[in-house]
Amino acid sequence: MANVGYDDTPVIPGSIYKVHDGERPQPRVVTPGTASTQDAPGTVPSDAVVLFDGSSLAGWVSLKDGSPAPWSLGAGFMEVVPKTGNIRSVAEFGDCQLHLEFASPAEVKGDSQGRGNSGVFLMGLYEIQVLDCYQNPTYADGTTGGIYGQYPPLVNACRPPAAWQQYDIVWEGPRFAGEKLLKPAYVTVFLNGLVLHNRQELQGPTQHRQLANYTPHAPVGPLVLQDHNDLVRFRNIWYRPLTWYDEV
Ligand code: MG
């Protein structure tokens, strides 16, 4: 390592390193990806774990029984096959940065929760709503990007039906000690580049028409995508573990 930094500076409170410490470990080098366009997904960061690249459903199974994912594969995307049920990633993971793109059905039908409904369930339990909320009012905590049943998104940033839309999510799962909740889950969500939730504390796993409550679960889980009988499409799904976080 070149001779960088200082060794005659004060120690930073809460740290073993000095201000501008030349001995402080370097951040990992990661090659960033490129932005997606409507025509094509971008490339992924060099340290991303790819869950779906548009070429195969091999990394996905039926949530119900673990059989091969019963959704359809299009040209670079997957699409819900209504009434086949939710699917889950084979991979299980915990705290992460998640990227995912979706498109609402081109044919607009239904209203409120009946239009382009799907969902992204972090750890299989915590739903960030996917819905066609472009000129489609519904209850606020069920809006696209809402933490379903708990917190509406700060804004409705939906693009029109059939347009590709982008979620970027930072997820911190809850921590338990036996039956005790040590730390709740927190989520930060961007939709199409606009912040919807800023490290929002969750009240527990997603419920419908009920209050949420935590029950202990593992620090890892799958990503689950919802079949709500609408022809929602997904592409370009990847995550990066938040390995720079200290475990509780
Ligand atoms: Mg949903």
Side-chain angles (χ1 to χ4, degrees), residues 173-248:
R175 297 291 190 277
F176 301 91
E179 293 298 304
K180 188 169 177 288
L181 177 69
L182 288 180
K183 177 174 143 334
Y186 294 91
V187 72
T188 299
V189 179
F190 288 83
L191 173 62
N192 301 326
L194 303 183
V195 65
L196 305 188
H197 304 281
N198 180 21
R199 201 168 185 264
Q200 177 64 55
E201 178 180 328
L202 273 68
Q203 298 177 1
T206 298
Q207 301 288 336
H208 179 54
R209 303 185 61 179
Q210 294 183 53
L211 297 176
N213 280 297
Y214 283 104
T215 49
H217 60 75
V220 297
L223 187 69
V224 168
L225 303 177
Q226 186 182 43
D227 166 17
H228 205 285
N229 299 327
D230 292 323
L231 301 173
V232 178
R233 294 176 175 181
F234 293 92
R235 73 176 188 185
N236 198 23
I237 308 175
W238 51 262
Y239 74 92
R240 304 176 56 241
L242 293 193
T243 50
W244 56 91
Y245 271 48
D246 290 334
E247 285 296 300
V248 170

